[in-house]
Coordinates of all heavy atoms in Angstrom, one line a residue:
M9 N 5.8 51.6 -33.4 CA 7.2 51.8 -33.4 C 7.5 53.1 -34.2 O 7.0 53.2 -35.3 CB 8.0 50.6 -34.0 CG 9.4 50.9 -34.1 SD 10.3 49.5 -34.9 CE 10.8 50.2 -36.5
T10 N 8.3 54.0 -33.7 CA 8.7 55.2 -34.3 C 10.2 55.3 -34.2 O 10.8 55.2 -33.2 CB 8.1 56.4 -33.7 OG1 6.6 56.2 -33.7 CG2 8.5 57.7 -34.4
T11 N 10.8 55.5 -35.5 CA 12.2 55.7 -35.6 C 12.6 57.1 -36.2 O 11.8 57.4 -37.2 CB 12.8 54.5 -36.5 OG1 12.5 53.3 -35.9 CG2 14.3 54.7 -36.4
I12 N 13.4 57.7 -35.6 CA 13.9 58.9 -36.2 C 15.4 58.8 -36.7 O 16.3 58.4 -35.8 CB 13.9 60.1 -35.2 CG1 12.5 60.3 -34.8 CG2 14.5 61.4 -35.8 CD1 12.3 61.4 -33.7
H13 N 15.7 59.1 -37.9 CA 17.0 59.1 -38.4 C 17.4 60.6 -38.8 O 16.7 61.2 -39.5 CB 17.2 58.2 -39.6 CG 18.7 58.3 -40.2 ND1 19.7 57.7 -39.5 CD2 19.2 58.9 -41.1 CE1 20.9 57.8 -40.1 NE2 20.6 58.6 -41.2
F14 N 18.4 61.1 -38.0 CA 18.9 62.5 -38.1 C 20.2 62.6 -38.8 O 21.1 61.8 -38.4 CB 18.9 63.1 -36.8 CG 19.6 64.4 -36.7 CD1 18.9 65.6 -37.1 CD2 20.9 64.5 -36.2 CE1 19.6 66.8 -36.9 CE2 21.5 65.8 -36.1 CZ 20.8 66.9 -36.5
E15 N 20.3 63.4 -39.8 CA 21.8 63.6 -40.5 C 22.0 65.0 -40.6 O 21.1 65.8 -41.2 CB 21.8 62.9 -41.8 CG 23.1 62.9 -42.4 CD 23.1 62.2 -43.7 OE1 23.1 61.0 -43.6 OE2 23.2 62.8 -44.8
R16 N 23.1 65.5 -40.1 CA 23.6 67.0 -40.3 C 24.8 66.9 -41.0 O 25.8 66.3 -40.6 CB 23.6 67.7 -39.0 CG 23.9 69.1 -39.2 CD 24.0 69.8 -37.9 NE 25.2 69.4 -37.2 CZ 25.6 69.9 -36.0 NH1 24.9 70.7 -35.3 NH2 26.7 69.5 -35.4
T17 N 24.9 67.7 -42.1 CA 26.2 67.9 -42.9 C 26.4 69.4 -43.1 O 25.7 70.2 -42.8 CB 26.1 67.2 -44.2 OG1 25.1 67.8 -44.9 CG2 25.9 65.8 -44.1
G18 N 27.7 69.6 -43.4 CA 28.2 71.0 -43.6 C 28.7 71.7 -42.4 O 29.4 71.0 -41.6
G19 N 28.6 72.9 -42.3 CA 29.2 73.7 -41.3 C 30.6 74.1 -41.6 O 31.1 73.7 -42.7
F20 N 31.2 74.8 -40.8 CA 32.6 75.2 -41.0 C 33.5 74.1 -41.2 O 34.4 74.2 -42.0 CB 33.1 76.2 -39.7 CG 34.5 76.6 -39.8 CD1 34.8 77.6 -40.8 CD2 35.4 76.1 -39.1 CE1 36.2 78.1 -40.9 CE2 36.7 76.6 -39.1 CZ 37.0 77.5 -40.0
M21 N 33.3 73.0 -40.4 CA 34.3 71.9 -40.5 C 33.8 70.8 -41.4 O 34.5 69.8 -41.6 CB 34.5 71.3 -39.0 CG 35.0 72.3 -38.0 SD 36.8 72.7 -38.4 CE 37.5 71.2 -38.0
A22 N 32.6 71.0 -42.0 CA 32.1 70.0 -43.0 C 32.0 68.7 -42.3 O 32.3 67.7 -43.2 CB 32.8 70.1 -44.3
R23 N 31.6 68.6 -41.2 CA 31.4 67.2 -40.5 C 30.1 66.7 -40.8 O 29.1 67.5 -40.8 CB 31.8 67.4 -39.0 CG 33.2 67.6 -38.8 CD 33.6 67.6 -37.3 NE 34.9 67.9 -37.1 CZ 35.5 68.0 -35.9 NH1 34.8 67.6 -34.9 NH2 36.7 68.3 -35.9
K24 N 30.0 65.4 -40.8 CA 28.7 64.7 -40.9 C 28.3 64.1 -39.5 O 29.1 63.4 -38.9 CB 28.8 63.6 -41.9 CG 27.5 62.9 -42.1 CD 27.6 61.8 -43.2 CE 26.4 61.0 -43.4 NZ 26.6 60.1 -44.6
T25 N 27.1 64.5 -39.1 CA 26.7 63.9 -37.8 C 25.4 63.1 -38.1 O 24.5 63.7 -38.7 CB 26.3 65.1 -36.9 OG1 27.5 65.8 -36.7 CG2 25.8 64.6 -35.5
T26 N 25.3 61.9 -37.5 CA 24.1 61.1 -37.6 C 23.7 60.6 -36.3 O 24.5 60.4 -35.4 CB 24.3 59.9 -38.7 OG1 25.3 59.0 -38.1 CG2 24.8 60.4 -40.0
L27 N 22.4 60.3 -36.2 CA 21.8 59.7 -35.1 C 20.5 59.0 -35.5 O 19.7 59.6 -36.3 CB 21.4 60.9 -34.1 CG 20.7 60.6 -32.9 CD1 21.5 59.7 -31.8 CD2 20.1 61.8 -32.2
T28 N 20.4 57.8 -35.0 CA 19.1 57.1 -35.2 C 18.6 56.7 -33.8 O 19.3 56.2 -32.9 CB 19.4 55.8 -36.0 OG1 19.9 56.2 -37.2 CG2 18.0 55.0 -36.2
L29 N 17.3 57.0 -33.6 CA 16.6 56.9 -32.3 C 15.3 56.0 -32.6 O 14.6 56.2 -33.5 CB 16.2 58.1 -31.6 CG 17.3 59.1 -31.3 CD1 16.7 60.4 -30.9 CD2 18.2 58.5 -30.2
D30 N 15.2 55.0 -31.8 CA 14.0 54.2 -31.7 C 13.1 54.9 -30.5 O 13.6 54.5 -29.4 CB 14.2 52.7 -31.6 CG 13.0 51.9 -31.3 OD1 11.9 52.4 -31.4 OD2 13.2 50.6 -31.3
L31 N 12.1 55.5 -30.7 CA 11.5 56.1 -29.5 C 10.9 55.1 -28.6 O 10.8 55.5 -27.4 CB 10.3 57.0 -30.1 CG 10.6 58.4 -30.5 CD1 11.8 58.5 -31.4 CD2 9.4 59.2 -30.8
D32 N 10.6 53.9 -28.9 CA 10.1 52.9 -28.1 C 11.2 52.5 -27.0 O 10.8 51.9 -26.0 CB 9.6 51.6 -28.8 CG 8.4 52.0 -29.7 OD1 7.7 53.0 -29.3 OD2 8.2 51.2 -30.6
S33 N 12.5 52.7 -27.3 CA 13.6 52.3 -26.5 C 14.0 53.4 -25.6 O 14.9 53.2 -24.8 CB 14.7 51.7 -27.3 OG 15.4 52.7 -28.1
L34 N 13.6 54.6 -25.8 CA 14.0 55.7 -24.9 C 13.1 55.8 -23.6 O 12.0 55.3 -23.6 CB 13.7 57.1 -25.7 CG 14.6 57.2 -27.0 CD1 14.2 58.6 -27.7 CD2 16.1 57.4 -26.5
P35 N 13.6 56.4 -22.7 CA 12.8 56.7 -21.4 C 11.5 57.5 -21.9 O 11.5 58.2 -22.8 CB 13.7 57.5 -20.6 CG 15.1 57.2 -21.0 CD 15.0 57.0 -22.5
S36 N 10.4 57.2 -21.3 CA 9.1 57.7 -21.7 C 9.1 59.3 -21.8 O 8.5 59.8 -22.7 CB 8.0 57.3 -20.8 OG 8.2 57.7 -19.6
D37 N 9.8 60.0 -20.8 CA 9.8 61.5 -20.9 C 10.6 62.0 -22.2 O 10.1 62.9 -22.9 CB 10.3 62.0 -19.7 CG 11.8 61.7 -19.5 OD1 12.2 60.5 -19.7 OD2 12.6 62.5 -18.9
Q38 N 11.7 61.2 -22.5 CA 12.4 61.6 -23.8 C 11.6 61.4 -25.0 O 11.6 62.2 -26.0 CB 13.8 60.9 -23.8 CG 14.7 61.5 -22.7 CD 16.1 60.7 -22.8 OE1 16.5 60.3 -23.9 NE2 16.7 60.6 -21.7
A39 N 11.0 60.3 -25.1 CA 10.1 59.8 -26.2 C 9.0 60.9 -26.5 O 8.7 61.2 -27.5 CB 9.6 58.4 -26.1
E40 N 8.4 61.2 -25.3 CA 7.3 62.2 -25.3 C 7.8 63.5 -25.8 O 7.0 64.2 -26.6 CB 6.6 62.3 -24.0 CG 5.4 63.1 -24.0 CD 4.2 62.4 -24.9 OE1 4.2 61.2 -24.9 OE2 3.5 63.3 -25.4
T41 N 8.9 63.9 -25.4 CA 9.5 65.2 -25.8 C 9.6 65.2 -27.3 O 9.2 66.2 -28.0 CB 10.8 65.6 -25.1 OG1 10.5 65.7 -23.8 CG2 11.5 66.8 -25.8
L42 N 10.3 64.2 -27.8 CA 10.4 64.1 -29.3 C 9.0 64.0 -30.1 O 8.9 64.7 -31.1 CB 11.3 62.9 -29.7 CG 12.8 63.2 -29.3 CD1 13.6 61.8 -29.4 CD2 13.4 64.2 -30.1
R43 N 8.1 63.2 -29.5 CA 6.8 63.2 -30.2 C 6.1 64.5 -30.2 O 5.5 65.0 -31.1 CB 6.0 62.2 -29.5 CG 6.2 60.8 -29.9 CD 5.2 59.8 -29.2 NE 5.6 58.4 -29.6 CZ 6.3 57.6 -28.8 NH1 6.8 58.0 -27.6 NH2 6.5 56.3 -29.2
D44 N 6.3 65.3 -29.1 CA 5.7 66.7 -29.1 C 6.4 67.6 -30.1 O 5.7 68.4 -30.7 CB 5.9 67.3 -27.7 CG 5.0 66.7 -26.6 OD1 3.9 66.0 -27.1 OD2 5.2 66.9 -25.5
L45 N 7.7 67.5 -30.2 CA 8.5 68.4 -31.1 C 8.0 68.0 -32.7 O 7.9 68.8 -33.5 CB 10.0 68.2 -31.0 CG 10.6 68.8 -29.7 CD1 12.0 68.4 -29.5 CD2 10.4 70.3 -29.8
L46 N 7.8 66.7 -32.9 CA 7.3 66.2 -34.2 C 6.0 66.8 -34.5 O 5.7 67.4 -35.6 CB 7.3 64.8 -34.3 CG 8.7 64.0 -34.5 CD1 8.5 62.5 -34.2 CD2 9.3 64.3 -35.8
D47 N 5.1 66.8 -33.5 CA 3.8 67.3 -33.6 C 3.8 68.9 -33.8 O 3.1 69.4 -34.7 CB 2.9 67.0 -32.5 CG 2.5 65.6 -32.3 OD1 2.6 64.8 -33.4 OD2 2.0 65.1 -31.3
Q48 N 4.6 69.6 -33.1 CA 4.7 71.0 -33.1 C 5.2 71.4 -34.5 O 4.8 72.5 -35.1 CB 5.6 71.6 -32.0 CG 5.0 71.5 -30.6 CD 6.0 71.8 -29.6 OE1 7.1 72.3 -29.8 NE2 5.7 71.4 -28.3
A49 N 6.0 70.7 -35.1 CA 6.6 71.0 -36.4 C 5.7 70.5 -37.6 O 5.9 70.9 -38.7 CB 8.0 70.3 -36.6
D50 N 4.6 69.8 -37.2 CA 3.8 69.2 -38.1 C 4.6 68.5 -39.3 O 4.4 68.7 -40.4 CB 2.9 70.3 -38.8 CG 1.6 69.7 -39.5 OD1 1.4 68.6 -39.3 OD2 1.0 70.5 -40.3
F51 N 5.5 67.7 -38.8 CA 6.5 67.0 -39.5 C 6.0 66.3 -40.7 O 6.5 66.4 -41.8 CB 7.4 66.1 -38.6 CG 8.5 65.5 -39.4 CD1 9.6 66.2 -39.8 CD2 8.4 64.2 -39.9 CE1 10.6 65.6 -40.5 CE2 9.3 63.6 -40.7 CZ 10.4 64.3 -41.0
F52 N 4.9 65.5 -40.6 CA 4.5 64.7 -41.7 C 3.8 65.5 -42.8 O 3.5 65.0 -43.8 CB 3.6 63.6 -41.2 CG 4.3 62.5 -40.4 CD1 4.3 62.6 -39.0 CD2 5.1 61.6 -41.0 CE1 5.0 61.6 -38.3 CE2 5.9 60.7 -40.3 CZ 5.8 60.7 -38.9
S53 N 3.6 66.9 -42.5 CA 3.0 67.8 -43.7 C 4.1 68.5 -44.3 O 3.9 69.2 -45.2 CB 2.0 68.7 -42.9 OG 1.0 68.0 -42.5
L54 N 5.3 68.5 -43.8 CA 6.4 69.3 -44.3 C 6.9 68.7 -45.6 O 6.9 67.4 -45.8 CB 7.6 69.3 -43.3 CG 7.4 70.0 -42.0 CD1 8.7 69.9 -41.1 CD2 7.0 71.4 -42.2
T55 N 7.4 69.5 -46.5 CA 8.1 69.2 -47.7 C 9.5 69.7 -47.6 O 9.8 70.5 -46.7 CB 7.3 69.8 -49.0 OG1 7.4 71.2 -48.9 CG2 5.9 69.3 -49.0
D56 N 10.2 69.3 -48.6 CA 11.7 69.8 -48.6 C 11.6 71.4 -48.7 O 10.7 71.9 -49.3 CB 12.4 69.2 -49.8 CG 12.7 67.8 -49.6 OD1 12.6 67.2 -48.5 OD2 13.1 67.1 -50.7
A57 N 12.6 71.9 -48.0 CA 12.7 73.4 -48.0 C 14.0 73.8 -48.7 O 14.9 74.0 -48.1 CB 12.6 73.9 -46.6
P58 N 13.9 74.0 -50.0 CA 15.1 74.5 -50.7 C 15.5 75.9 -50.3 O 14.6 76.7 -50.0 CB 14.8 74.4 -52.2 CG 13.3 74.4 -52.2 CD 12.9 73.8 -50.9
A59 N 16.7 76.2 -50.2 CA 17.2 77.5 -49.8 C 18.5 77.9 -50.6 O 19.1 77.0 -51.0 CB 17.5 77.6 -48.3
P60 N 18.7 79.1 -50.8 CA 20.0 79.6 -51.4 C 21.2 79.0 -50.6 O 21.1 78.9 -49.3 CB 19.9 81.0 -51.4 CG 18.9 81.4 -50.5 CD 18.0 80.3 -50.3
A61 N 22.2 78.7 -51.3 CA 23.4 78.2 -50.7 C 24.0 79.3 -49.8 O 24.2 80.4 -50.2 CB 24.4 77.7 -51.6
V62 N 24.3 78.9 -48.5 CA 24.9 79.9 -47.6 C 26.2 79.3 -47.1 O 26.1 78.1 -46.6 CB 24.0 80.2 -46.4 CG1 24.6 81.1 -45.4 CG2 22.7 80.8 -46.8
P63 N 27.3 80.0 -47.2 CA 28.6 79.3 -46.7 C 28.5 78.9 -45.3 O 27.9 79.5 -44.5 CB 29.6 80.4 -46.9 CG 29.1 81.3 -47.9 CD 27.6 81.3 -47.7
D64 N 29.0 77.8 -45.0 CA 29.2 77.2 -43.6 C 27.9 76.8 -43.0 O 27.8 76.7 -41.7 CB 30.1 78.0 -42.8 CG 31.5 78.3 -43.4 OD1 31.9 77.3 -44.0 OD2 32.0 79.3 -43.1
E65 N 26.8 76.7 -43.8 CA 25.5 76.4 -43.3 C 25.4 74.9 -43.1 O 25.9 74.2 -43.9 CB 24.4 77.0 -44.2 CG 23.0 76.7 -43.8 CD 22.1 77.3 -44.7 OE1 22.0 76.9 -45.9 OE2 21.2 78.1 -44.3
F66 N 24.6 74.5 -42.1 CA 24.2 73.1 -41.9 C 23.1 72.7 -42.8 O 22.1 73.5 -43.0 CB 23.9 72.7 -40.5 CG 25.1 72.7 -39.6 CD1 25.2 73.7 -38.6 CD2 26.1 71.8 -39.6 CE1 26.3 73.7 -37.7 CE2 27.2 71.9 -38.8 CZ 27.2 72.8 -37.8
H67 N 23.1 71.5 -43.4 CA 22.1 70.9 -44.1 C 21.6 69.6 -43.4 O 22.4 68.9 -42.8 CB 22.5 70.6 -45.5 CG 22.9 71.7 -46.2 ND1 22.0 72.5 -47.0 CD2 24.0 72.5 -46.4 CE1 22.6 73.5 -47.6 NE2 23.8 73.5 -47.2
Y68 N 20.3 69.4 -43.4 CA 19.7 68.3 -42.6 C 18.9 67.3 -43.5 O 18.1 67.9 -44.3 CB 18.8 68.9 -41.5 CG 19.4 69.9 -40.6 CD1 19.5 71.2 -40.9 CD2 20.1 69.4 -39.4 CE1 20.1 72.2 -40.1 CE2 20.7 70.3 -38.6 CZ 20.7 71.7 -38.9 OH 21.3 72.5 -38.0
T69 N 18.9 66.1 -43.1 CA 18.0 65.1 -43.6 C 17.4 64.5 -42.4 O 18.2 63.9 -41.5 CB 18.7 64.0 -44.6 OG1 19.4 64.8 -45.6 CG2 17.7 63.0 -45.0
L70 N 16.1 64.5 -42.3 CA 15.4 63.9 -41.2 C 14.3 62.9 -41.8 O 13.5 63.4 -42.5 CB 14.7 65.1 -40.4 CG 14.1 64.8 -39.1 CD1 15.1 64.1 -38.1 CD2 13.5 65.9 -38.4
T71 N 14.4 61.8 -41.3 CA 13.5 60.7 -41.7 C 12.8 60.1 -40.5 O 13.6 59.7 -39.5 CB 14.2 59.5 -42.5 OG1 14.8 60.1 -43.6 CG2 13.1 58.5 -42.9
V72 N 11.5 60.1 -40.5 CA 10.7 59.6 -39.5 C 9.9 58.4 -40.0 O 9.2 58.5 -41.0 CB 9.8 60.6 -38.7 CG1 9.1 59.9 -37.7 CG2 10.6 61.7 -38.2
T73 N 10.0 57.2 -39.4 CA 9.4 56.0 -39.8 C 8.5 55.5 -38.7 O 9.0 55.4 -37.6 CB 10.4 54.9 -40.2 OG1 11.4 55.4 -41.1 CG2 9.7 53.6 -40.7
T74 N 7.2 55.3 -39.0 CA 6.3 54.7 -38.0 C 5.7 53.4 -38.7 O 6.2 53.1 -39.8 CB 5.1 55.7 -37.8 OG1 4.3 55.7 -39.0 CG2 5.6 57.1 -37.5
N75 N 4.8 52.8 -38.0 CA 4.2 51.6 -38.5 C 3.5 51.8 -39.8 O 3.1 50.9 -40.6 CB 3.3 50.9 -37.5 CG 4.1 50.4 -36.3 OD1 5.3 50.1 -36.5 ND2 3.5 50.2 -35.2
L76 N 3.0 53.1 -39.9 CA 2.2 53.4 -41.0 C 2.8 54.2 -42.3 O 2.3 54.2 -43.4 CB 0.9 54.2 -40.6 CG 0.1 53.5 -39.6 CD1 -1.0 54.4 -39.0 CD2 -0.5 52.2 -40.1
I77 N 3.9 55.0 -41.9 CA 4.4 55.9 -42.9 C 5.9 56.1 -42.7 O 6.4 56.0 -41.5 CB 3.7 57.2 -42.8 CG1 4.0 58.1 -44.0 CG2 3.9 57.9 -41.5 CD1 3.2 59.4 -44.0
E78 N 6.6 56.6 -43.8 CA 8.0 57.0 -43.6 C 8.0 58.3 -44.4 O 7.5 58.4 -45.5 CB 8.9 56.0 -44.2 CG 10.5 56.5 -44.2 CD 11.4 55.5 -44.7 OE1 11.6 54.5 -44.0 OE2 11.9 55.6 -45.8
H79 N 8.5 59.3 -43.7 CA 8.6 60.6 -44.3 C 10.0 61.2 -44.1 O 10.5 61.1 -43.0 CB 7.6 61.5 -43.6 CG 7.4 62.8 -44.3 ND1 6.9 63.0 -45.5 CD2 7.6 64.1 -43.8 CE1 6.9 64.4 -45.8 NE2 7.3 65.0 -44.8
T80 N 10.5 61.8 -45.2 CA 11.8 62.5 -45.2 C 11.7 63.9 -45.5 O 11.0 64.3 -46.5 CB 12.7 61.7 -46.1 OG1 12.9 60.3 -45.7 CG2 14.2 62.3 -46.1
V81 N 12.4 64.7 -44.8 CA 12.6 66.1 -45.1 C 14.0 66.6 -45.2 O 14.8 66.2 -44.4 CB 11.9 66.9 -44.0 CG1 12.1 68.5 -44.2 CG2 10.3 66.7 -44.1
H82 N 14.4 67.3 -46.3 CA 15.6 67.9 -46.5 C 15.5 69.4 -46.2 O 14.7 70.0 -46.8 CB 16.2 67.6 -47.9 CG 16.3 66.2 -48.2 ND1 17.3 65.4 -47.8 CD2 15.3 65.3 -48.8 CE1 17.1 64.1 -48.3 NE2 15.9 64.1 -48.9
T83 N 16.4 69.9 -45.4 CA 16.3 71.4 -45.2 C 17.7 71.9 -44.8 O 18.7 71.1 -44.7 CB 15.2 71.7 -44.1 OG1 15.0 73.1 -44.0 CG2 15.6 71.2 -42.7
S84 N 17.7 73.1 -44.4 CA 19.0 73.8 -44.1 C 18.7 74.7 -42.9 O 17.5 75.0 -42.6 CB 19.6 74.6 -45.2 OG 18.8 75.6 -45.6
D85 N 19.7 75.3 -42.3 CA 19.6 76.2 -41.3 C 18.7 77.5 -41.7 O 17.8 77.9 -41.0 CB 20.9 76.8 -40.8 CG 21.7 76.0 -39.9 OD1 21.1 75.1 -39.2 OD2 23.0 76.0 -39.9
T86 N 19.0 77.9 -42.9 CA 18.2 79.1 -43.4 C 16.7 78.8 -43.7 O 15.8 79.6 -43.5 CB 18.8 79.6 -44.8 OG1 20.1 79.9 -44.5 CG2 18.1 80.8 -45.2
A87 N 16.4 77.5 -44.2 CA 15.1 77.2 -44.7 C 14.1 76.6 -43.6 O 13.0 76.6 -43.7 CB 15.2 76.2 -45.8
A88 N 14.7 76.1 -42.5 CA 14.0 75.5 -41.4 C 13.2 76.5 -40.7 O 13.7 77.5 -40.3 CB 14.9 74.7 -40.4
G89 N 11.8 76.2 -40.5 CA 11.1 77.1 -39.8 C 11.3 76.9 -38.3 O 12.0 76.0 -37.8
E90 N 10.7 77.9 -37.6 CA 11.1 77.8 -36.0 C 10.7 76.5 -35.3 O 11.4 76.0 -34.6 CB 10.3 79.1 -35.4 CG 10.7 79.2 -34.0 CD 10.0 80.4 -33.3 OE1 9.8 81.4 -34.0 OE2 9.5 80.3 -32.1
A91 N 9.5 76.0 -35.7 CA 9.0 74.7 -35.0 C 10.0 73.6 -35.4 O 10.3 72.8 -34.6 CB 7.6 74.4 -35.4
L92 N 10.4 73.4 -36.7 CA 11.3 72.5 -37.1 C 12.6 72.7 -36.5 O 13.3 71.7 -36.1 CB 11.4 72.4 -38.7 CG 12.3 71.3 -39.1 CD1 11.8 69.8 -38.7 CD2 12.3 71.3 -40.7
R93 N 13.1 74.0 -36.3 CA 14.4 74.2 -35.7 C 14.5 73.6 -34.4 O 15.5 73.2 -34.0 CB 14.5 75.7 -35.8 CG 15.6 76.4 -34.9 CD 17.0 76.2 -35.3 NE 17.3 76.2 -36.6 CZ 18.1 75.4 -37.3 NH1 18.8 74.4 -36.6 NH2 18.3 75.3 -38.6
S94 N 13.4 73.7 -33.6 CA 13.4 73.2 -32.3 C 13.7 71.6 -32.2 O 14.4 71.2 -31.5 CB 12.0 73.5 -31.6 OG 11.9 74.8 -31.3
L95 N 13.1 71.1 -33.2 CA 13.4 69.6 -33.3 C 14.7 69.3 -33.8 O 15.5 68.4 -33.2 CB 12.3 68.9 -34.4 CG 12.6 67.5 -34.6 CD1 12.5 66.6 -33.4 CD2 11.6 67.1 -35.8
L96 N 15.2 70.0 -34.7 CA 16.6 69.8 -35.2 C 17.7 70.1 -34.2 O 18.6 69.5 -34.0 CB 16.9 70.7 -36.5 CG 16.0 70.4 -37.7 CD1 16.3 71.5 -38.7 CD2 16.4 69.0 -38.2
D97 N 17.4 71.1 -33.4 CA 18.3 71.5 -32.3 C 18.4 70.5 -31.2 O 19.5 70.1 -30.7 CB 17.9 72.9 -31.7 CG 18.2 74.0 -32.5 OD1 18.9 74.0 -33.6 OD2 17.7 75.1 -32.2
D98 N 17.2 69.9 -30.8 CA 17.1 68.8 -29.9 C 17.9 67.5 -30.4 O 18.8 67.0 -29.6 CB 15.6 68.4 -29.6 CG 15.5 67.4 -28.6 OD1 15.7 66.2 -28.9 OD2 15.2 67.6 -27.4
L99 N 17.7 67.2 -31.6 CA 18.4 66.0 -32.2 C 19.9 66.3 -32.3 O 20.6 65.3 -32.0 CB 17.8 65.6 -33.5 CG 16.4 65.1 -33.5 CD1 15.8 65.1 -34.9 CD2 16.2 63.8 -32.8
A100 N 20.3 67.5 -32.7 CA 21.7 67.8 -32.7 C 22.4 67.7 -31.3 O 23.5 67.2 -31.3 CB 21.9 69.2 -33.2
Q101 N 21.7 68.2 -30.3 CA 22.3 67.9 -29.0 C 22.4 66.5 -28.6 O 23.3 66.1 -27.9 CB 21.4 68.8 -27.9 CG 21.5 70.2 -28.1 CD 22.9 70.7 -27.9 OE1 23.6 70.3 -27.0 NE2 23.5 71.6 -28.7
R102 N 21.3 65.7 -28.8 CA 21.4 64.3 -28.6 C 22.6 63.6 -29.3 O 23.2 62.7 -28.8 CB 20.1 63.6 -28.9 CG 18.9 64.1 -28.0 CD 17.7 63.5 -28.5 NE 16.4 64.0 -27.9 CZ 15.9 63.5 -26.8 NH1 16.4 62.4 -26.4 NH2 14.9 64.1 -26.2
A103 N 22.7 64.0 -30.5 CA 23.8 63.4 -31.3 C 25.2 63.8 -30.8 O 26.1 62.9 -30.7 CB 23.8 63.9 -32.9
K104 N 25.4 65.0 -30.1 CA 26.7 65.3 -29.6 C 26.9 64.5 -28.3 O 28.1 64.3 -28.0 CB 26.6 66.9 -29.2 CG 26.7 67.8 -30.3 CD 26.7 69.2 -29.8 CE 26.8 70.2 -31.0 NZ 26.8 71.6 -30.4
R105 N 25.9 64.1 -27.6 CA 26.1 63.4 -26.4 C 26.4 61.8 -26.6 O 26.9 61.2 -25.7 CB 24.8 63.5 -25.5 CG 24.6 64.9 -25.0 CD 23.5 64.9 -23.9 NE 22.2 64.6 -24.4 CZ 21.3 65.4 -24.6 NH1 21.4 66.7 -24.3 NH2 20.0 65.0 -25.1
R106 N 26.2 61.4 -27.7 CA 26.4 60.0 -28.1 C 27.8 59.9 -28.6 O 28.6 60.5 -29.0 CB 25.5 59.5 -29.1 CG 24.2 59.5 -28.5 CD 23.2 58.6 -29.3 NE 22.0 58.5 -28.4 CZ 21.2 57.5 -28.4 NH1 21.5 56.5 -29.2 NH2 20.1 57.5 -27.7

């Protein structure tokens, strides 16, 4: 079992967006896409990425729980690397559709 909990705060409107996904309950192609994005970001090796405060920037808390581990990363638009950005963008789009 793999669960992803995504939270985005901040931005111009200072809205909070959350999404929790159980990868086992998603269609297999969607679950595989998310697993690939987690792998590409090397998510379980990431640490928090502090960054200077930037007005209207989004801040993210991303927690992934598996049968063996739970890992949380706090980051922002400025601090997120390209691989993590792909995962954050995908999750933000999924949150908008819900």
Side-chain angles (χ1 to χ4, degrees):
M9 180 178 104
T10 301
T11 303
I12 298 175
H13 180 74
F14 168 81
E15 182 177 292
R16 183 179 75 180
T17 58
F20 178 71
M21 300 294 289
R23 292 186 183 177
K24 181 177 179 178
T25 302
T26 62
L27 175 69
T28 300
L29 297 171
D30 176 0
L31 271 56
D32 295 336
S33 68
L34 293 176
S36 61
D37 61 326
Q38 291 182 31
E40 188 63 31
T41 295
L42 288 167
R43 285 187 179 94
D44 288 345
L45 290 170
L46 287 167
D47 288 344
Q48 290 169 16
D50 197 14
F51 181 78
F52 291 102
S53 297
L54 295 175
T55 58
D56 288 349
V62 176
D64 301 328
E65 178 176 62
F66 287 115
H67 295 270
Y68 304 90
T69 301
L70 187 58
T71 301
V72 178
T73 305
T74 71
N75 291 335
L76 302 175
I77 190 171
E78 179 175 284
H79 185 67
T80 300
V81 172
H82 302 275
T83 192
S84 65
D85 283 331
T86 304
E90 186 177 325
L92 182 57
R93 163 74 32 222
S94 296
L95 175 61
L96 296 172
D97 289 345
D98 183 281
L99 292 169
Q101 288 301 314
R102 290 172 190 269
K104 283 183 185 179
R105 291 190 295 253
R106 292 200 174 207

